């Protein structure tokens, strides 16, 4: 019997996940607000803007009707930017039934509240069995058939089992986890370090210095996430070090590109606009700053990124401070 | 008053360290067995084979006389490949005085005994105040004046203090550590993961898969080093994650290049010969295999590298096994 799956959000990762599930035999309804995109998918089984060149498996059907997308789905997967998440969750909450399993694949925290996405799901829907999917997953690579690994973390083993059944293949390893909070925090904060790595790349400081910077950034993430309740093993896993590795290595990552633009001297607003898409790191750095302050955790790299993005600190000065022997000034 | 420093070994890292110390005002005697190299340094203040383009600071004097190199040195720095280390340590032991401070910058373990370099120093010399220098340090970058950070770990704070005084500058941060064993093990084992990363690069498996592989390799290193007595913080630092980041990112690293050659199908012996220099990862994988077996630590990535290098396992098969969901077979 085929599994019915709803994928809510049709960016590159949502479209890719919908395709993978359909390849595995699921009936997938892919929700998008964009009528043109829905029409393109329904008529040509492609979505060139989301994933150029990918021909979607026949099991993917697009819809602009949220209720239609979710109706009868055993698994509902949320894949939208963090700042659109609550709106979608609230709308989906009108239809979601408590027996439906929910996964999300959003790497960020809500602005202002610093809420995790699983918290938003709990607040806005009756979903109980919630999980998060995260890892070193460049969507374009996976869509093109390259192998990868990802994590599905949930307090409910059933969520992992269904997630694996729907997504795992000889090309995608789906590994289990239970630390939802840890995965969500590591996934969000790593984007801030990716911005720092992008700045470093643009400034041509070399591989040694970039490694020092990323190592210190990793320590920041570990300290802050642990202080907020994450498990250490999560930091060591695919959603922690793994995702950070790929985000910092890939010059294509939007957060990396944001760092490059900022180091070139572009104002944040212009840089974000030019990217034409969401750079989660710019939001996550606000959350990281506030959370680190509240918990009195020293996060020199995350802090410098925040100050460069929002307080006019020169990228050169930030890097000098991070490279120096001196401990970070207390705040 | 200038510090007298002996640097034993004139490869690219030894020459670079000698130069840095001389820039900082030390009187440096650089020991090499190669009379031509010593002559080149003495007459032109260059060593093109070791560090092309670098003009050495005037304070560097080369010598082929080990006793002359060490006589009156406050700090003696060993920088030779792991398999030449005991021979040099034994010869140096004829002259070394117990009050002389000793640092080494060798990233490997002795074949057969799996001895760490600091252990060899204790066995072959009367040195007591011993430290290790390690981190994400591509010598060519540092020689060209790019910024970097490194670690000096020692049970003796005085070793760190002198090491920092001699080497630290606005371009090189020297950070303290106390976990000599942890630094030595992480530095050795990371070369094995670098070989795996090289294989992955050559096979074109993509950034996602490479991140998965390196993440698992990092976990192997952490598990094995912790089982052997390392401190967790060391793994999180410059000599752990930091060095691994730069080794895996840099396609120029000799261990990465060894992995590329092996994945191309070259036999180990030919690949090592073609490299024309020591790839410590080939040796360290033997030590990792034995030590992991003895401690019953599961190290799937380190184990696969060993089997590819020495037991004829096909690189493609090794990667398939590492990417799969299945746990590593018990040995």
């Amino acid at each position: 019997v085929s599994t019915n799956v709803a994928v809510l959000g049709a960016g590159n990762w949502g479209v890719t996940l919908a395709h993978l599930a359909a390849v595995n035999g699921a009936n997938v309804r892919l929700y998008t607000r964009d009528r043109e995109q829905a029409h393109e998918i329904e008529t040509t089984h492609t979505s060139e803007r989301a994933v150029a060149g990918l021909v979607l498996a026949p099991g993917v059907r697009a819809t602009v009707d949220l209720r239609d997308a979710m109706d009868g789905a055993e698994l509902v997967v949320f894949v939208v930017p963090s700042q659109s998440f609550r709106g979608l969750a609230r709308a989906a909450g009108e239809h979601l039934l408590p027996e439906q399993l929910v996964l999300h694949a959003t790497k960020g925290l809500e602005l202002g509240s610093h809420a995790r996405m699983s918290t938003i799901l709990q607040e806005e829907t009756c979903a109980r069995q919630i999980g998060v999917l995260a890892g070193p997953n460049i969507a374009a690579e996976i869509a093109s058939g390259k192998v990868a690994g990802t994590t599905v973390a949930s307090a409910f083993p059933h969520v992992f089992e269904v997630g694996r059944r729907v997504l795992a293949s000889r090309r995608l390893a789906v590994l289990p986890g239970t630390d939802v909070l840890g995965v969500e925090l590591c996934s969000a904060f790593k984007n801030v370090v990716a911005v720092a790595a992008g700045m470093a790349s643009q400034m041509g400081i070399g591989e040694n210095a970039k490694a020092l910077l990323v190592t210190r950034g990793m320590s920041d993430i570990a300290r802050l996430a642990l202080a907020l309740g994450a498990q250490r093993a999560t930091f060591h896993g695919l959603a922690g070090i793994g995702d950070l590795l790929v985000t910092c290595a890939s010059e294509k990552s939007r957060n990396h590109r944001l760092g490059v633009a900022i180091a070139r001297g572009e104002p944040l607003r212009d840089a974000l606009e030019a990217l034409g898409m969401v750079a989660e790191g710019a939001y996550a750095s606000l959350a990281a700053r506030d959370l680190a302050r509240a918990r009195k955790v020293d996060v020199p790299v995350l802090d410098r990124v925040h100050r460069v993005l929002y307080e006019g600190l020169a990228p050169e000065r930030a890097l000098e401070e991070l490279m120096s022997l001196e401990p970070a000034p207390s705040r």
Side-chain angles (χ1 to χ4, degrees), chain A residues 167-226:
Chain A
L167 294 170
S169 68
R170 289 195 53 224
R171 297 189 173 281
L172 184 67
V174 179
L175 305 174
T178 57
D179 181 16
V180 173
L181 174 146
V183 167
E184 291 181 319
L185 293 178
C186 286
S187 296
F189 297 147
K190 63 97 193 173
N191 285 326
V192 186
V193 178
V195 174
M199 289 183 196
S201 291
Q202 172 61 22
M203 293 162 74
I205 60 173
E207 295 299 324
N208 291 338
K210 195 170 162 184
L212 185 148
L213 191 66
V214 173
T215 303
R216 287 191 160 179
M218 284 187 177
S219 292
D220 285 5
I221 294 175
R223 267 195 307 278
L224 182 53
L226 291 174

Short mmCIF file of all heavy atoms in Angstrom, two decimals, chain A residues 167-226:
data_model
loop_
_atom_site.label_atom_id
_atom_site.label_comp_id
_atom_site.label_asym_id
_atom_site.label_seq_id
_atom_site.Cartn_x
_atom_site.Cartn_y
_atom_site.Cartn_z
N LEU A 167 11.64 8.04 2.57
CA LEU A 167 12.73 8.78 1.94
C LEU A 167 14.00 7.98 1.67
O LEU A 167 14.76 8.29 0.75
CB LEU A 167 13.11 10.00 2.80
CG LEU A 167 12.03 11.08 2.90
CD1 LEU A 167 12.40 12.11 3.95
CD2 LEU A 167 11.81 11.75 1.55
N ALA A 168 14.28 6.95 2.47
CA ALA A 168 15.57 6.28 2.37
C ALA A 168 15.67 5.45 1.09
O ALA A 168 14.68 4.88 0.63
CB ALA A 168 15.81 5.39 3.58
N SER A 169 16.87 5.40 0.56
CA SER A 169 17.10 4.62 -0.64
C SER A 169 18.58 4.25 -0.69
O SER A 169 19.33 4.56 0.25
CB SER A 169 16.74 5.42 -1.88
OG SER A 169 17.66 6.49 -2.04
N ARG A 170 19.00 3.62 -1.76
CA ARG A 170 20.42 3.33 -1.90
C ARG A 170 21.21 4.61 -2.11
O ARG A 170 22.44 4.60 -2.08
CB ARG A 170 20.65 2.35 -3.06
CG ARG A 170 20.16 0.95 -2.73
CD ARG A 170 20.71 -0.08 -3.70
NE ARG A 170 22.16 0.03 -3.77
CZ ARG A 170 22.85 0.00 -4.90
NH1 ARG A 170 22.23 -0.14 -6.05
NH2 ARG A 170 24.17 0.09 -4.90
N ARG A 171 20.52 5.71 -2.34
CA ARG A 171 21.22 6.98 -2.53
C ARG A 171 21.07 7.94 -1.35
O ARG A 171 21.76 8.94 -1.27
CB ARG A 171 20.71 7.68 -3.80
CG ARG A 171 20.98 6.86 -5.03
CD ARG A 171 20.68 7.59 -6.29
NE ARG A 171 21.11 6.81 -7.43
CZ ARG A 171 22.36 6.72 -7.85
NH1 ARG A 171 23.31 7.40 -7.23
NH2 ARG A 171 22.68 5.97 -8.87
N LEU A 172 20.12 7.64 -0.47
CA LEU A 172 19.94 8.51 0.70
C LEU A 172 19.86 7.67 1.97
O LEU A 172 18.88 6.93 2.17
CB LEU A 172 18.68 9.38 0.57
CG LEU A 172 18.49 10.39 1.72
CD1 LEU A 172 19.57 11.47 1.69
CD2 LEU A 172 17.11 11.02 1.68
N ALA A 173 20.88 7.80 2.80
CA ALA A 173 20.85 7.15 4.11
C ALA A 173 20.07 8.04 5.07
O ALA A 173 20.32 9.24 5.14
CB ALA A 173 22.27 6.94 4.63
N VAL A 174 19.09 7.47 5.76
CA VAL A 174 18.31 8.23 6.75
C VAL A 174 18.65 7.67 8.12
O VAL A 174 18.34 6.51 8.42
CB VAL A 174 16.80 8.15 6.48
CG1 VAL A 174 16.03 8.92 7.53
CG2 VAL A 174 16.48 8.70 5.09
N LEU A 175 19.32 8.47 8.93
CA LEU A 175 19.82 8.01 10.22
C LEU A 175 18.94 8.53 11.35
O LEU A 175 18.44 9.65 11.28
CB LEU A 175 21.26 8.48 10.43
CG LEU A 175 22.22 8.08 9.29
CD1 LEU A 175 23.59 8.72 9.49
CD2 LEU A 175 22.36 6.56 9.23
N PRO A 176 18.75 7.73 12.39
CA PRO A 176 17.82 8.11 13.46
C PRO A 176 18.44 9.03 14.49
O PRO A 176 19.64 9.03 14.72
CB PRO A 176 17.49 6.76 14.10
CG PRO A 176 18.72 5.95 13.91
CD PRO A 176 19.35 6.40 12.61
N GLY A 177 17.60 9.82 15.12
CA GLY A 177 18.01 10.65 16.24
C GLY A 177 16.80 10.87 17.13
O GLY A 177 15.66 10.61 16.74
N THR A 178 17.04 11.34 18.35
CA THR A 178 15.93 11.62 19.25
C THR A 178 15.98 13.06 19.76
O THR A 178 15.02 13.54 20.35
CB THR A 178 15.97 10.69 20.48
OG1 THR A 178 17.24 10.85 21.13
CG2 THR A 178 15.78 9.23 20.09
N ASP A 179 17.07 13.74 19.50
CA ASP A 179 17.30 15.06 20.09
C ASP A 179 16.79 16.16 19.14
O ASP A 179 17.56 16.82 18.45
CB ASP A 179 18.80 15.22 20.36
CG ASP A 179 19.16 16.56 20.99
OD1 ASP A 179 18.24 17.25 21.50
OD2 ASP A 179 20.35 16.90 20.97
N VAL A 180 15.48 16.35 19.13
CA VAL A 180 14.86 17.33 18.23
C VAL A 180 15.43 18.73 18.49
O VAL A 180 15.83 19.44 17.57
CB VAL A 180 13.33 17.32 18.40
CG1 VAL A 180 12.69 18.44 17.58
CG2 VAL A 180 12.77 15.96 17.98
N LEU A 181 15.46 19.11 19.75
CA LEU A 181 15.98 20.43 20.12
C LEU A 181 17.41 20.62 19.62
O LEU A 181 17.75 21.65 19.02
CB LEU A 181 15.91 20.60 21.64
CG LEU A 181 16.51 21.86 22.25
CD1 LEU A 181 15.71 22.31 23.46
CD2 LEU A 181 17.97 21.64 22.66
N GLY A 182 18.26 19.63 19.84
CA GLY A 182 19.65 19.75 19.44
C GLY A 182 19.80 19.89 17.93
O GLY A 182 20.58 20.71 17.44
N VAL A 183 19.05 19.09 17.19
CA VAL A 183 19.12 19.17 15.73
C VAL A 183 18.65 20.55 15.26
O VAL A 183 19.27 21.18 14.40
CB VAL A 183 18.28 18.06 15.08
CG1 VAL A 183 18.08 18.32 13.59
CG2 VAL A 183 18.93 16.70 15.31
N GLU A 184 17.57 21.04 15.85
CA GLU A 184 17.05 22.34 15.42
C GLU A 184 18.03 23.47 15.72
O GLU A 184 18.23 24.37 14.90
CB GLU A 184 15.69 22.60 16.08
CG GLU A 184 14.60 21.68 15.54
CD GLU A 184 13.24 21.91 16.16
OE1 GLU A 184 13.17 22.13 17.39
OE2 GLU A 184 12.24 21.86 15.43
N LEU A 185 18.65 23.43 16.89
CA LEU A 185 19.59 24.50 17.24
C LEU A 185 20.86 24.44 16.40
O LEU A 185 21.32 25.46 15.87
CB LEU A 185 19.92 24.43 18.74
CG LEU A 185 18.77 24.73 19.69
CD1 LEU A 185 19.24 24.59 21.14
CD2 LEU A 185 18.19 26.13 19.46
N CYS A 186 21.43 23.23 16.28
CA CYS A 186 22.66 23.11 15.47
C CYS A 186 22.39 23.56 14.04
O CYS A 186 23.20 24.26 13.42
CB CYS A 186 23.17 21.67 15.48
SG CYS A 186 23.95 21.19 17.04
N SER A 187 21.25 23.15 13.48
CA SER A 187 20.92 23.49 12.10
C SER A 187 20.78 24.99 11.91
O SER A 187 21.13 25.53 10.85
CB SER A 187 19.62 22.82 11.68
OG SER A 187 19.75 21.43 11.70
N ALA A 188 20.24 25.65 12.91
CA ALA A 188 20.06 27.10 12.80
C ALA A 188 21.39 27.83 12.96
O ALA A 188 21.73 28.69 12.15
CB ALA A 188 19.07 27.58 13.86
N PHE A 189 22.14 27.47 13.98
CA PHE A 189 23.36 28.23 14.28
C PHE A 189 24.46 28.00 13.24
O PHE A 189 25.30 28.87 13.01
CB PHE A 189 23.88 27.88 15.68
CG PHE A 189 22.93 28.25 16.79
CD1 PHE A 189 22.85 27.49 17.94
CD2 PHE A 189 22.11 29.37 16.68
CE1 PHE A 189 21.98 27.83 18.97
CE2 PHE A 189 21.23 29.72 17.70
CZ PHE A 189 21.16 28.94 18.86
N LYS A 190 24.46 26.84 12.61
CA LYS A 190 25.54 26.58 11.64
C LYS A 190 25.47 27.58 10.50
O LYS A 190 26.49 27.89 9.88
CB LYS A 190 25.50 25.13 11.15
CG LYS A 190 24.26 24.74 10.38
CD LYS A 190 24.41 24.79 8.88
CE LYS A 190 23.04 24.69 8.22
NZ LYS A 190 23.08 24.90 6.78
N ASN A 191 24.30 28.10 10.22
CA ASN A 191 24.19 29.08 9.14
C ASN A 191 24.92 30.38 9.48
O ASN A 191 25.36 31.09 8.58
CB ASN A 191 22.72 29.37 8.84
CG ASN A 191 22.06 28.23 8.08
OD1 ASN A 191 22.70 27.57 7.28
ND2 ASN A 191 20.79 27.99 8.35
N VAL A 192 25.03 30.67 10.76
CA VAL A 192 25.78 31.87 11.17
C VAL A 192 27.27 31.66 10.90
O VAL A 192 27.97 32.56 10.41
CB VAL A 192 25.53 32.19 12.66
CG1 VAL A 192 26.19 33.51 13.02
CG2 VAL A 192 24.03 32.24 12.95
N VAL A 193 27.76 30.47 11.22
CA VAL A 193 29.16 30.17 10.96
C VAL A 193 29.43 30.16 9.45
O VAL A 193 30.50 30.57 8.99
CB VAL A 193 29.56 28.83 11.61
CG1 VAL A 193 31.02 28.49 11.31
CG2 VAL A 193 29.35 28.90 13.12
N ALA A 194 28.44 29.72 8.68
CA ALA A 194 28.60 29.73 7.22
C ALA A 194 28.76 31.16 6.70
O ALA A 194 29.54 31.41 5.78
CB ALA A 194 27.41 29.05 6.56
N VAL A 195 28.06 32.09 7.31
CA VAL A 195 28.23 33.50 6.93
C VAL A 195 29.67 33.93 7.22
O VAL A 195 30.32 34.58 6.39
CB VAL A 195 27.22 34.40 7.68
CG1 VAL A 195 27.51 35.88 7.38
CG2 VAL A 195 25.79 34.05 7.30
N ALA A 196 30.17 33.55 8.38
CA ALA A 196 31.56 33.89 8.74
C ALA A 196 32.54 33.27 7.75
O ALA A 196 33.51 33.91 7.34
CB ALA A 196 31.86 33.43 10.16
N ALA A 197 32.27 32.03 7.36
CA ALA A 197 33.16 31.36 6.40
C ALA A 197 33.13 32.08 5.06
O ALA A 197 34.17 32.22 4.39
CB ALA A 197 32.76 29.90 6.23
N GLY A 198 31.97 32.55 4.66
CA GLY A 198 31.86 33.31 3.42
C GLY A 198 32.66 34.60 3.48
O GLY A 198 33.38 34.96 2.54
N MET A 199 32.57 35.28 4.61
CA MET A 199 33.38 36.50 4.78
C MET A 199 34.86 36.16 4.64
O MET A 199 35.61 36.87 3.96
CB MET A 199 33.15 37.09 6.18
CG MET A 199 31.79 37.72 6.39
SD MET A 199 31.73 38.43 8.08
CE MET A 199 29.97 38.65 8.27
N ALA A 200 35.27 35.09 5.30
CA ALA A 200 36.69 34.71 5.27
C ALA A 200 37.14 34.39 3.85
O ALA A 200 38.23 34.78 3.43
CB ALA A 200 36.92 33.50 6.19
N SER A 201 36.27 33.69 3.11
CA SER A 201 36.63 33.36 1.73
C SER A 201 36.86 34.62 0.92
O SER A 201 37.84 34.76 0.18
CB SER A 201 35.52 32.53 1.07
OG SER A 201 35.45 31.26 1.65
N GLN A 202 35.94 35.55 1.04
CA GLN A 202 36.02 36.79 0.27
C GLN A 202 37.29 37.58 0.62
O GLN A 202 37.88 38.23 -0.23
CB GLN A 202 34.77 37.63 0.52
CG GLN A 202 34.80 39.03 -0.07
CD GLN A 202 34.95 39.02 -1.59
OE1 GLN A 202 34.63 38.03 -2.25
NE2 GLN A 202 35.43 40.12 -2.13
N MET A 203 37.68 37.50 1.89
CA MET A 203 38.83 38.28 2.32
C MET A 203 40.15 37.59 2.02
O MET A 203 41.22 38.14 2.28
CB MET A 203 38.70 38.59 3.82
CG MET A 203 37.51 39.52 4.08
SD MET A 203 36.98 39.50 5.79
CE MET A 203 38.29 40.42 6.51
N GLY A 204 40.08 36.38 1.47
CA GLY A 204 41.30 35.70 1.03
C GLY A 204 42.29 35.39 2.14
O GLY A 204 43.50 35.42 1.95
N ILE A 205 41.77 35.09 3.32
CA ILE A 205 42.69 34.90 4.44
C ILE A 205 43.32 33.52 4.45
O ILE A 205 44.23 33.27 5.24
CB ILE A 205 42.01 35.16 5.80
CG1 ILE A 205 40.82 34.20 6.01
CG2 ILE A 205 41.55 36.59 5.90
CD1 ILE A 205 40.23 34.29 7.40
N GLY A 206 42.89 32.62 3.58
CA GLY A 206 43.57 31.33 3.49
C GLY A 206 42.87 30.23 4.25
O GLY A 206 41.97 30.46 5.06
N GLU A 207 43.31 29.01 3.96
CA GLU A 207 42.67 27.82 4.53
C GLU A 207 42.97 27.65 6.01
O GLU A 207 42.13 27.18 6.77
CB GLU A 207 43.10 26.57 3.77
CG GLU A 207 42.65 26.51 2.32
CD GLU A 207 41.13 26.52 2.17
OE1 GLU A 207 40.46 25.91 3.03
OE2 GLU A 207 40.63 27.14 1.22
N ASN A 208 44.18 28.00 6.42
CA ASN A 208 44.52 27.88 7.84
C ASN A 208 43.60 28.74 8.70
O ASN A 208 43.04 28.29 9.70
CB ASN A 208 45.96 28.33 8.09
CG ASN A 208 47.00 27.40 7.49
OD1 ASN A 208 46.72 26.22 7.25
ND2 ASN A 208 48.19 27.92 7.25
N ALA A 209 43.46 29.99 8.28
CA ALA A 209 42.67 30.93 9.06
C ALA A 209 41.19 30.56 9.02
O ALA A 209 40.48 30.68 10.02
CB ALA A 209 42.88 32.35 8.53
N LYS A 210 40.74 30.09 7.87
CA LYS A 210 39.35 29.69 7.76
C LYS A 210 39.07 28.49 8.69
O LYS A 210 38.03 28.43 9.35
CB LYS A 210 39.03 29.34 6.30
CG LYS A 210 37.56 29.26 5.99
CD LYS A 210 37.34 29.16 4.48
CE LYS A 210 35.95 28.65 4.18
NZ LYS A 210 35.72 28.44 2.74
N ALA A 211 40.01 27.57 8.75
CA ALA A 211 39.85 26.41 9.64
C ALA A 211 39.80 26.87 11.09
O ALA A 211 39.01 26.35 11.89
CB ALA A 211 40.97 25.41 9.43
N LEU A 212 40.63 27.83 11.45
CA LEU A 212 40.60 28.35 12.82
C LEU A 212 39.24 28.97 13.11
O LEU A 212 38.61 28.70 14.15
CB LEU A 212 41.72 29.37 13.01
CG LEU A 212 41.89 29.92 14.43
CD1 LEU A 212 43.36 30.24 14.70
CD2 LEU A 212 41.06 31.16 14.70
N LEU A 213 38.77 29.74 12.17
CA LEU A 213 37.48 30.42 12.33
C LEU A 213 36.32 29.42 12.46
O LEU A 213 35.47 29.55 13.35
CB LEU A 213 37.27 31.30 11.11
CG LEU A 213 36.14 32.29 11.13
CD1 LEU A 213 36.40 33.35 12.17
CD2 LEU A 213 36.02 32.94 9.74
N VAL A 214 36.29 28.44 11.60
CA VAL A 214 35.20 27.47 11.63
C VAL A 214 35.30 26.60 12.88
O VAL A 214 34.28 26.25 13.49
CB VAL A 214 35.18 26.62 10.34
CG1 VAL A 214 34.16 25.50 10.44
CG2 VAL A 214 34.88 27.51 9.13
N THR A 215 36.52 26.27 13.29
CA THR A 215 36.68 25.49 14.52
C THR A 215 36.13 26.25 15.72
O THR A 215 35.40 25.69 16.55
CB THR A 215 38.18 25.18 14.76
OG1 THR A 215 38.69 24.49 13.62
CG2 THR A 215 38.36 24.32 16.00
N ARG A 216 36.45 27.55 15.77
CA ARG A 216 35.92 28.34 16.88
C ARG A 216 34.41 28.50 16.76
O ARG A 216 33.70 28.51 17.77
CB ARG A 216 36.59 29.72 16.88
CG ARG A 216 38.02 29.66 17.34
CD ARG A 216 38.57 31.05 17.59
NE ARG A 216 39.74 30.94 18.45
CZ ARG A 216 40.46 31.98 18.85
NH1 ARG A 216 40.12 33.21 18.51
NH2 ARG A 216 41.50 31.80 19.62
N GLY A 217 33.92 28.61 15.55
CA GLY A 217 32.48 28.68 15.35
C GLY A 217 31.78 27.41 15.81
O GLY A 217 30.72 27.44 16.43
N MET A 218 32.41 26.27 15.50
CA MET A 218 31.84 25.00 15.96
C MET A 218 31.78 24.95 17.47
O MET A 218 30.82 24.46 18.05
CB MET A 218 32.70 23.83 15.45
CG MET A 218 32.52 23.51 13.99
SD MET A 218 33.44 21.98 13.62
CE MET A 218 33.00 21.74 11.89
N SER A 219 32.84 25.43 18.12
CA SER A 219 32.85 25.43 19.59
C SER A 219 31.73 26.32 20.12
O SER A 219 31.08 25.99 21.11
CB SER A 219 34.19 25.95 20.11
OG SER A 219 35.21 25.03 19.82
N ASP A 220 31.52 27.45 19.46
CA ASP A 220 30.42 28.33 19.87
C ASP A 220 29.09 27.58 19.81
O ASP A 220 28.29 27.63 20.74
CB ASP A 220 30.30 29.52 18.90
CG ASP A 220 31.38 30.56 19.11
OD1 ASP A 220 32.28 30.34 19.94
OD2 ASP A 220 31.30 31.61 18.43
N ILE A 221 28.86 26.91 18.67
CA ILE A 221 27.60 26.19 18.49
C ILE A 221 27.44 25.12 19.57
O ILE A 221 26.38 24.99 20.18
CB ILE A 221 27.54 25.54 17.10
CG1 ILE A 221 27.50 26.62 16.01
CG2 ILE A 221 26.33 24.62 16.98
CD1 ILE A 221 27.57 26.06 14.60
N ALA A 222 28.52 24.38 19.80
CA ALA A 222 28.44 23.31 20.79
C ALA A 222 28.12 23.88 22.18
O ALA A 222 27.23 23.39 22.87
CB ALA A 222 29.76 22.53 20.83
N ARG A 223 28.84 24.93 22.56
CA ARG A 223 28.62 25.53 23.89
C ARG A 223 27.20 26.05 24.03
O ARG A 223 26.52 25.80 25.03
CB ARG A 223 29.59 26.69 24.11
CG ARG A 223 30.87 26.33 24.81
CD ARG A 223 31.61 27.58 25.31
NE ARG A 223 31.81 28.56 24.27
CZ ARG A 223 32.79 28.53 23.39
NH1 ARG A 223 33.67 27.54 23.41
NH2 ARG A 223 32.90 29.46 22.47
N LEU A 224 26.75 26.78 23.01
CA LEU A 224 25.42 27.39 23.12
C LEU A 224 24.32 26.33 23.07
O LEU A 224 23.38 26.36 23.88
CB LEU A 224 25.24 28.42 21.99
CG LEU A 224 23.93 29.20 21.97
CD1 LEU A 224 23.66 29.87 23.31
CD2 LEU A 224 23.95 30.25 20.86
N ALA A 225 24.45 25.39 22.15
CA ALA A 225 23.42 24.36 22.04
C ALA A 225 23.37 23.50 23.31
O ALA A 225 22.29 23.15 23.80
CB ALA A 225 23.67 23.49 20.80
N LEU A 226 24.53 23.18 23.86
CA LEU A 226 24.55 22.39 25.09
C LEU A 226 23.90 23.17 26.23
O LEU A 226 23.14 22.61 27.02
CB LEU A 226 25.98 21.99 25.47
CG LEU A 226 26.65 20.95 24.56
CD1 LEU A 226 28.11 20.74 24.97
CD2 LEU A 226 25.91 19.62 24.59
#
